[in-house]
Amino acid sequence: MQKGIFINYHDSYLPAFKGLNSSTWSILGKKKTHGCTFHIIDEGIDTGPIIYQKKIIIPTHYTSHQVDLKNILNGFELFKKILRDIFIKKIINFKYQKNIGKYFSKKDLLKIPLLGFIDLSWKTEKIIRHFNALKVSNFKKNFVLNPKLLTKNYQILEIIDIKVIKTNKSKNKIKLSKKKKMFFLKKNKKILKIEINKDLHKLEILGSKEIENYINKKNINL
């Protein structure tokens, strides 16, 4: 009796970023490219022989969710190739993975700096990178995978969007908008427009020390 095979779609360009939340780890790792892979399932996790894969360039403004959506579109095209191979060519070609790569589990999310809180004292590039990495689909969202701020009274504010809107020579300063669900942060020569999930009349955001004290006391539920 002929032994069958099982095929898996994985949302990274294997052997890089095996396991979960690969687009988040790719953006946090400052990678310029990402991708998706169809591979044969073996006894390991995302270690099986590769059938098809496609690489994409990660634009600097892309969130993790946008990278995932791009991968899904590419994955659909790759799957059509697999069906063609099965039903027309009657054969599936594959190649073995040469490198080990790195595996990420759900528990690895606890290694993300400040567990998804954004520290506004960070450099602009780091703020944007962490926001993009943590902005995932509602299906993936949890306590860590959700970019957020912490106020002085320990209110958690989800960050909906961040945009660099202009350059400016002003010193660092927070200014509330008349639309009370957003504020503007002046950082050196840039202004960040930050949209949040709640109305605010005043804004006192806690920094790293206070955030660390908060999350050390909290039982994090992933």
Side-chain angles (χ1 to χ4, degrees):
M1 183 176 178
Q2 188 175 3
K3 185 178 180 181
I5 63 171
F6 292 91
I7 295 171
N8 180 57
Y9 164 82
H10 181 65
D11 57 349
S12 85
Y13 198 85
L14 291 174
F17 302 108
K18 296 177 173 70
L20 300 175
N21 306 303
S22 63
S23 55
T24 290
W25 292 111
S26 185
I27 294 173
L28 286 177
K30 303 180 184 180
K31 302 300 181 182
K32 303 295 185 183
T33 60
H34 197 60
C36 63
T37 304
F38 277 99
H39 67 92
I40 296 172
I41 295 176
D42 62 6
E43 67 278 2
I45 300 178
D46 301 325
T47 56
I50 293 170
I51 302 171
Y52 284 118
Q53 57 185 169
K54 187 168 183 178
K55 187 176 290 187
I56 62 171
I57 295 173
I58 305 177
T60 56
H61 65 280
Y62 260 35
T63 65
S64 175
H65 188 201
Q66 289 172 307
V67 172
D68 289 344
L69 291 176
K70 182 70 173 178
N71 270 341
I72 289 172
L73 289 174
N74 288 336
F76 179 71
E77 295 302 318
L78 295 181
F79 188 63
K80 289 195 292 187
K81 288 185 176 182
I82 292 175
L83 293 178
R84 177 201 63 194
D85 291 348
I86 293 174
F87 293 106
I88 297 178
K89 293 185 175 181
K90 308 296 183 181
I91 188 173
I92 292 180
N93 296 314
F94 59 84
K95 59 181 180 181
Y96 290 97
Q97 297 188 42
K98 294 181 180 180
N99 299 321
I100 296 174
K102 189 172 182 180
Y103 169 76
F104 293 89
S105 70
K106 197 171 186 179
K107 290 184 179 179
D108 284 310
L109 291 179
L110 298 177
K111 299 176 183 178
I112 290 179
L114 302 180
L115 297 183
F117 285 100
I118 301 293
D119 189 339
L120 296 181
S121 68
W122 288 343
K123 292 183 178 180
T124 299
E125 290 74 17
K126 185 174 181 179
I127 290 175
I128 297 296
R129 182 170 66 252
H130 278 246
F131 169 78
N132 288 342
L134 299 168
K135 189 68 174 178
V136 298
S137 67
N138 289 333
F139 177 76
K140 281 188 174 184
K141 186 183 293 186
N142 57 35
F143 183 83
V144 177
L145 291 178
N146 191 13
K148 51 196 172 290
L149 301 169
L150 189 65
T151 68
K152 191 173 182 180
N153 61 350
Y154 293 99
Q155 181 184 26
I156 296 177
L157 305 175
E158 179 184 3
I159 303 177
I160 306 301
D161 194 22
I162 300 181
K163 285 187 172 62
V164 180
I165 59 172
K166 64 185 292 187
T167 58
N168 192 285
K169 297 182 180 180
S170 302
K171 295 181 179 179
N172 293 3
K173 184 180 179 181
I174 291 178
K175 181 181 179 181
L176 291 176
S177 168
K178 291 181 180 179
K179 297 178 180 180
K180 296 172 184 176
K181 289 190 177 181
M182 70 176 66
F183 65 93
F184 299 91
L185 174 62
K186 295 181 179 180
K187 289 182 67 67
N188 301 322
K189 294 184 178 181
K190 294 181 179 178
I191 295 180
L192 297 182
K193 176 184 172 185
I194 303 177
E195 183 182 351
I196 53 178
N197 64 341
K198 293 183 180 179
D199 291 338
L200 291 173
H201 297 286
K202 62 179 181 178
L203 191 62
E204 295 181 271
I205 301 295
L206 296 183
S208 294
K209 288 289 184 182
E210 292 87 354
I211 294 173
E212 289 172 2
N213 290 337
Y214 172 79
I215 60 181
N216 285 337
K217 295 176 184 176
K218 185 175 179 63
N219 182 23
I220 305 302
N221 182 17
L222 297 177

